[in-house]
Amino acid sequence: QVRLVESGGGLVQPGESLTLSCAASGFTLELRYYAIGWFRQAPGKEREFVAAIRWESGTTAYTDSVKGRFTISRDNAKLTVDLQMNSLKPEDTAIYFCATGKNIASTMISSEYEYWGQGTQVTVSS
């Protein structure tokens, strides 16, 4: 059973940085079949795509609102995926989830992911 554990959330001021980490375990197939995505859900809003990376190729994708500010990276040896978040804004406040799945066609679509972590809270406020 695939297991995902997020860490690194917290309270920061606008303009500051934060790095989230997702530790994965329990993969039943080779890594090349998987992708990892970060999604977020703010109070009263639907869950939205933030960023994703394919384990083998390292191909990344970002939602427009975080391009140039967030960077997703993976460590295949440690099975971790980090989300480096710079220049944080109050609108980035949300619970952030990492997710993974096999043979994902579109990494931006949440329904393509099979496994989800429990989430970590990010609050950006002065």
Side-chain angles (χ1 to χ4, degrees):
Q1 179 75 4
V2 176
R3 184 167 180 256
L4 302 173
V5 179
E6 302 98 334
S7 61
L11 171 64
V12 297
Q13 295 187 347
E16 292 186 340
S17 299
L18 205 59
T19 299
L20 305 182
S21 186
C22 177
S25 62
F27 290 112
T28 56
L29 297 176
E30 296 176 13
L31 285 182
R32 62 188 174 94
Y33 290 100
Y34 293 89
I36 287 245
W38 282 97
F39 292 78
R40 65 187 180 188
Q41 187 165 19
K45 295 188 177 181
E46 293 187 354
R47 188 173 298 184
E48 66 170 351
F49 169 77
V50 177
I53 189 166
R54 295 193 182 272
W55 274 113
E56 183 180 54
S57 67
T59 301
T60 59
Y62 298 91
T63 192
D64 287 345
S65 64
V66 308
K67 285 180 181 176
R69 299 189 299 124
F70 291 12
T71 302
I72 189 170
S73 62
R74 91 272 194 229
D75 185 323
N76 286 3
K78 295 181 180 179
L79 294 184
T80 57
V81 174
D82 288 348
L83 184 67
Q84 173 69 42
M85 305 184 295
N86 298 327
S87 303
L88 283 162
K89 305 175 181 180
E91 51 263 43
D92 294 317
T93 295
I95 299 174
Y96 283 71
F97 301 87
C98 66
T100 191
K102 302 184 295 292
N103 301 316
I104 293 175
S106 174
T107 56
M108 297 184 179
I109 300 176
S110 61
S111 60
E112 296 253 1
Y113 292 81
E114 301 173 64
Y115 307 99
W116 292 79
Q118 81 288 349
T120 185
Q121 177 71 47
V122 172
T123 303
V124 185
S125 175
S126 55

